[in-house]
């Protein structure tokens, strides 16, 4: 077994991490005054000045018009176009087939922005990758480049690089911007999927992601990467782990005293330990609601088990009209969490599957933040309203084709061109 890279990184006093950023070729080093400001800002949102970059989530609506379908792609395009000369854009992506995004990154390179991209080998078959390679090159000793994970494995984990994130050293007047999304850079992702994207301006979050990006680029192969980064209100989990999962860890810190609500939206849900916890929390008095695009047989059996104080979690599935389907991957907690009443969100690229936690390159963000949670709850209400209810395993099996899948189904095998 590969040697574990397990570690926890605190980003409360960021002298080391902030200094370490420039070492990998970010924009020009900070001046003394800026360095002091960056250290003060660690673990909290960067700079109090108004910028055109809004912290918070954006959500697409595949059943709306093009503007609503493309809202995440539009946000990414705005951030790319707002990146000035000398700044750096980092991209880590599973499927990358949208030619317009490739052209946007190529134009940024022409503006003398440093553009660095890590893609799963699967993307090598797309014309968009060829456009990137022609524009950026593949020599990582230069300031811009695109690189592929090895064929048949992730850049770190043994199966896939399933990441979907963008980092901007500077864009639209803001520094150290992170965009974590559930959306691949594909046409189906825009037009047929429900997805979310979370935009943050935070030096600690940026530094944690940036370090992970370079470990992907350097292809540090291990089945137990398991890095956790704490940055103020945020916790970052970088995968794969060799066992367990971060979501179960969080759910183990939830209490149902006082009426806690748990809302889950998930593309592929086949990891039974989380299903067991959700049923147990419902039985303990929490109100649990789940929307999925695909569900494993064992998870379905667990979630529809008889009993539970609310009759078991309230379930809905979402392919809609035969095509628009759920692809977001977020969990919301409103109630007793970590010993006190608070609101928390958990989002990222990982499906709740065995390979998602233990074999893929993935990133997840959690945050105790009532404002963020409120925005996610609004989206959950929209998604839940579009879903179709499931009262039993039989309901699910008679639902749209492909909703119920085997426990070991490949959650990256869907047609996502």
């Amino acid at each position: 077994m590969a040697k574990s890279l397990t570690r926890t990184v605190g980003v409360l006093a960021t002298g080391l991490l902030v200094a370490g950023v420039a070492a990998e070729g970010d924009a020009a080093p900070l001046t003394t005054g800026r360095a002091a400001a960056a250290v003060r800002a660690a673990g909290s949102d960067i700079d109090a000045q108004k910028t055109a970059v809004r912290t918070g989530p954006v959500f697409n609506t595949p059943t709306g018009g093009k503007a609503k379908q493309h809202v995440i792609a539009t946000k990414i395009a705005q951030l790319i176009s707002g990146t000035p000369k000398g700044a750096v854009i980092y991209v880590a992506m599973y499927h990358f087939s949208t030619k317009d995004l490739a052209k946007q990154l190529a134009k940024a390179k022409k503006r003398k922005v440093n553009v660095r991209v890590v893609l799963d080998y699967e993307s090598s078959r797309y014309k968009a990758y060829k456009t990137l390679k022609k524009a950026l090159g593949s020599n990582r000793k230069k300031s811009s480049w695109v690189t592929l994970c090895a064929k048949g494995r992730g850049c770190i984990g043994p199966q896939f690089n399933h990441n979907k994130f963008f980092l901007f050293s500077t864009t639209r007047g803001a520094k150290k911007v992170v965009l974590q999304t559930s959306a691949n850079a594909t046409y189906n992702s825009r037009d047929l999927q429900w997805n979310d994207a979370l935009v943050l301006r935070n030096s600690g979050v940026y530094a944690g992601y940036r370090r992970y990006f370079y470990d992907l680029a350097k292809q540090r192969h291990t089945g137990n990467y398991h890095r956790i980064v704490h940055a103020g209100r945020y916790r970052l989990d970088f995968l794969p782990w060799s066992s367990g999962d971060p979501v179960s860890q969080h759910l183990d810190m939830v209490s149902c005293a006082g009426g806690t609500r748990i809302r889950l939206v998930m593309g592929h849900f086949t990891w039974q330990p989380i299903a067991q916890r959700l049923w147990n929390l419902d039985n303990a008095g929490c109100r649990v609601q789940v929307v999925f695009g695909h569900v494993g047989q064992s998870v379905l059996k667990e979630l529809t088990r008889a009993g539970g104080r609310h009759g078991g979690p309230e379930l809905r599935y979402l392919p809609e009209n035969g095509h628009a389907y759920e692809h977001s991957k977020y969990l919301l907690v409103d109630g007793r969490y970590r010993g006190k009443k608070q609101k928390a969100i958990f989002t990222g690229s990982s499906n709740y599957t065995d390979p998602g936690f233990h074999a893929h390159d993935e990133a997840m963000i959690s945050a105790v933040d009532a404002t963020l949670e409120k925005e996610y709850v609004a989206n959950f209400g929209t998604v839940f309203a579009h879903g179709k209810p499931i009262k039993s395993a039989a309901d699910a099996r008679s639902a749209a084709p492909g909703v119920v899948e085997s426990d070991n189904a490949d959650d990256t095998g869907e047609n996502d061109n």
Side-chain angles (χ1 to χ4, degrees):
M1 180 179 293
K3 184 178 179 181
S4 170
L5 294 180
T6 303
R7 70 201 73 178
T8 299
V9 182
V11 199
L12 298 178
T14 58
L16 291 176
L17 276 179
V18 171
V21 167
E24 289 280 5
D26 226 356
L30 298 169
T31 64
T32 303
R34 286 181 176 176
V39 171
R40 288 194 301 270
S44 61
D45 290 340
I46 290 180
D47 67 44
Q49 67 181 2
K50 292 183 179 180
T51 71
V53 178
R54 176 187 173 274
T55 293
V58 292
F59 307 95
N60 76 316
T61 304
T63 56
K66 289 297 182 183
K68 291 183 177 180
Q69 289 174 333
H70 293 188
V71 65
I72 294 174
T74 300
K75 172 63 69 175
I76 292 168
Q78 290 172 347
L79 295 174
I80 292 172
S81 66
T83 307
K85 175 181 177 181
V88 189
I89 300 172
Y90 303 92
V91 182
M93 188 62 61
Y94 175 48
H95 280 308
F96 190 114
S97 67
T98 48
K99 296 176 186 177
D100 52 347
L101 177 57
K103 291 177 181 178
Q104 291 160 14
L105 293 171
K107 288 181 180 179
K109 163 72 161 45
K110 285 186 178 180
R111 299 197 309 272
K112 299 190 183 303
V113 175
N114 303 310
V115 181
R116 299 163 192 175
V117 182
V118 175
L119 300 177
D120 185 82
Y121 189 84
E122 285 285 308
S123 285
S124 63
R125 61 194 170 105
Y126 297 125
K127 291 182 180 179
Y129 164 70
K130 296 175 176 61
T131 297
L132 274 184
K133 187 175 180 181
K134 181 177 180 181
L136 307 181
S138 56
N139 185 349
R140 291 198 292 109
K141 293 183 180 179
K142 294 189 175 181
S143 60
S144 292
W145 41 263
V146 57
T147 191
L148 295 170
C149 305
K151 186 176 182 180
R153 65 161 302 126
C155 283
I156 294 174
Q159 286 193 16
F160 294 97
N161 170 30
H162 197 241
N163 278 296
K164 310 158 202 317
F165 65 80
F166 296 75
L167 313 179
F168 302 86
S169 64
T170 304
T171 180
R172 302 176 72 85
K175 294 184 181 297
K176 297 181 172 60
V177 175
V178 175
L179 185 146
Q180 171 66 63
T181 180
S182 63
N184 289 303
T186 68
Y187 299 103
N188 280 357
S189 181
R190 293 180 182 183
D191 300 334
L192 301 180
Q193 297 174 355
W194 297 84
N195 279 298
D196 72 294
L198 178 60
V199 180
L200 299 175
R201 301 198 313 271
N202 182 284
S203 60
V205 173
Y206 178 89
Y209 266 90
R210 194 173 172 285
R211 184 175 182 182
Y212 177 56
F213 175 88
Y214 277 110
D215 280 349
L216 292 168
K218 294 172 183 176
Q219 306 212 27
R220 300 190 182 280
H221 295 166
T222 177
N224 190 27
Y225 186 79
H226 198 156
R227 179 173 290 131
I228 301 170
V229 176
H230 293 280
R233 75 185 70 178
Y234 305 106
R235 167 176 156 167
L236 315 178
D237 288 280
F238 298 111
L239 307 167
W241 290 14
S242 62
S243 62
D245 70 273
V247 178
S248 291
Q249 286 188 356
H250 290 299
L251 289 175
D252 286 344
M253 293 185 281
V254 173
S255 166
C256 296
T260 297
R261 293 195 64 169
I262 299 169
R263 301 170 173 95
L264 172 63
V265 172
M266 186 51 50
H268 288 261
F269 188 6
T270 63
W271 184 233
Q272 192 174 4
I274 294 176
Q276 290 170 340
R277 285 168 168 82
L278 292 175
W279 192 94
N280 290 337
L281 285 165
D282 177 88
N283 189 47
C286 290
R287 184 180 180 189
V288 180
Q289 295 173 295
V290 180
V291 184
F292 47 71
H294 307 272
V295 64
Q297 294 173 356
S298 294
V299 165
L300 181 61
K301 182 178 180 180
E302 189 69 42
L303 293 176
T304 57
R305 184 154 49 104
R309 192 173 299 188
H310 292 288
E314 188 176 358
L315 308 180
R316 297 198 177 185
Y317 73 89
L318 188 54
E320 183 181 13
N321 300 326
H323 65 277
Y325 63 98
E326 180 45 55
H327 197 261
S328 292
K329 307 147 198 322
Y330 66 76
L331 172 71
L332 312 177
V333 174
D334 179 2
R336 301 290 297 182
Y337 170 62
R338 301 182 68 179
K340 56 185 176 181
K341 191 171 183 179
Q342 49 194 349
K343 300 175 186 288
I345 66 123
F346 313 86
T347 190
S349 63
S350 181
N351 288 300
Y352 289 3
T353 66
D354 185 0
F357 293 126
H358 307 132
H360 298 164
D361 305 333
E362 308 272 11
M364 300 179 68
I365 297 176
S366 61
V368 174
D369 188 312
T371 300
L372 285 182
E373 193 265 355
K374 182 178 181 180
E375 293 185 72
Y376 270 94
V377 166
N379 178 252
F380 180 88
T382 300
V383 172
F384 195 77
H386 280 267
K388 296 182 179 179
I390 290 175
K391 300 293 185 181
S392 67
D395 285 346
R397 293 190 181 96
S398 64
V403 171
V404 181
E405 57 189 6
S406 65
D407 293 340
N408 59 356
D410 179 3
D411 62 325
T412 60
E414 62 198 25
N415 181 18
D416 193 17
N417 294 323

